[in-house]
Amino acid sequence: MNRKKKIVVLTGAGISAESGLKTFRDSNGLWENHRVEDVATPEAFARDPDLVYRFYNLRRAQLAEVNPNPAHDALVTLENHFQDDFLLVTQNVDDLHERAGSKRVLHMHGELKSAKCSKTHKAVRWEEDLTAMNLCDCCALQNEMRPDIVWFGEMPYFMDEIYQALFQADVFIAIGTSGIVYPAAGFVAEANSSNTHTVEINLEPSSVQSQFDEQHYGKAGQVLPDYVASLIGE
Ligand code: NAD
């Protein structure tokens, strides 16, 4: 290799499946037995905040019971090799990438361990249960703190930074994502438009599989370590 490649990785719920976290579309499109409309939209939060608080409190508490798996570890190896030429964009709201040791991570859909003020959008680290009684730092009002999760209908975080990185990338790798949730599902098209080599690693072909130059199917914890070794060895 004459020069170091620039790598952008996108991960979805599938990379955390082997750690024991359910993906989004397990059980007929339900997330942990809930309809998206009931727990992952601003309308749901306005209608039934207690249900939404409870849902994310359970998801946050569950993080203590799970650990990173070999797929998370493989991305740390990749980052250690490519350093500043590596960017990890995740749709996941869990903290398994950080706990594995990843540093250059953008959580485009927010994080379970963060809460924010609905009025000012100021975010703070949040480890405990969140309720309507929690006061925010900025306005000191009840009923304003919410999970720092990008719900359906809201704008994902870091979009300018992500599109810039995709534009400059030599390789784009999507791992464990169904290709249904946009804008992330459109990243492969964006990468293709700047002649980036695109790779899908998933349990099964995603909705956008035909847009990738290269595909590897199987469990990420099994497929990814070998793929990373081959990329580093190139
Ligand atoms: P998704 O559930 O729509 O798709 C998951 C994909 O992963 C599927 O294509 C499935 O075939 C694949 N998969 C399952 N097990 C796998 C494995 N062991 N190895 C490789 N692939 C595997 O997930 P998505 O595309 O990320 O979209 C769901 C949305 O739900 C995201 O926005 C995310 O914020 C949210 N979500 C997050 C988590 C989490 O943080 N762990 C969990 C559930 C949902």
Side-chain angles (χ1 to χ4, degrees):
M1 205 192 308
N2 292 331
R3 68 177 178 90
K4 262 190 154 180
K5 289 179 178 170
K6 287 189 183 296
I7 314 276
V8 175
V9 172
L10 170 70
T11 60
I15 198 167
S16 297
E18 288 158 79
S19 294
L21 294 179
K22 289 216 163 77
T23 60
F24 201 34
R25 266 159 254 281
D26 283 347
S27 353
N28 299 327
L30 299 182
W31 185 4
E32 296 275 2
N33 299 320
H34 290 275
R35 293 184 325 142
V36 167
E37 297 81 0
D38 294 336
V39 293
T41 64
E43 293 77 16
F45 186 54
R47 196 170 51 240
D48 191 348
D50 288 342
L51 171 71
V52 175
Y53 282 126
R54 205 162 51 242
F55 178 79
Y56 291 99
N57 286 343
L58 286 171
R59 306 280 76 72
R60 191 180 308 104
Q62 200 181 12
L63 296 180
E65 295 156 20
V66 298
N67 289 304
N69 68 56
H72 296 102
D73 295 339
L75 291 181
V76 179
T77 305
L78 198 58
E79 176 173 355
N80 287 342
H81 184 79
F82 287 96
Q83 305 268 327
D84 287 344
D85 290 321
F86 173 92
L87 179 67
L88 173 53
V89 178
T90 186
Q91 300 169 83
N92 293 346
V93 293
D94 65 49
D95 60 353
L96 292 177
H97 285 307
E98 286 84 355
R99 281 167 54 199
S102 290
K103 299 273 186 291
R104 298 165 182 82
V105 191
L106 299 180
H107 282 268
M108 64 179 288
H109 290 167
E111 292 178 73
L112 286 167
K113 289 200 174 170
S114 178
K116 69 177 181 181
C117 170
S118 303
K119 281 191 188 306
T120 66
H121 305 288
K122 185 176 172 229
V124 287
R125 287 302 294 166
W126 206 274
E127 306 274 344
E128 307 299 327
D129 282 357
L130 181 66
T131 72
M133 306 298 283
N134 290 116
L135 305 182
C136 64
D137 283 350
C138 34
C139 352
L141 292 173
Q142 287 185 355
N143 300 308
E144 293 302 343
M145 287 303 272
R146 55 163 273 185
D148 190 5
I149 303 289
V150 176
W151 287 324
F152 284 89
E154 298 182 323
M155 178 61 81
Y157 298 143
F158 309 113
M159 293 311 291
D160 288 349
E161 223 170 318
I162 294 168
Y163 282 123
Q164 177 74 12
L166 286 171
F167 178 70
Q168 294 174 349
D170 298 293
V171 182
F172 169 67
I173 311 165
I175 304 161
T177 178
S178 57
I180 292 171
V181 180
Y182 280 82
F187 290 173
V188 59
E190 192 66 26
N192 282 332
S193 70
S194 47
N195 289 325
T196 304
H197 183 70
T198 54
V199 184
E200 168 163 284
I201 294 176
N202 209 45
L203 194 57
E204 58 197 8
S206 74
S207 302
V208 288
Q209 63 95 16
S210 63
Q211 298 181 40
F212 287 89
D213 299 316
E214 187 182 339
Q215 294 97 349
H216 300 270
Y217 297 115
K219 290 186 172 179
Q222 292 168 8
V223 175
L224 193 58
D226 287 345
Y227 178 75
V228 163
S230 71
L231 198 58
I232 288 174
E234 264 176 31

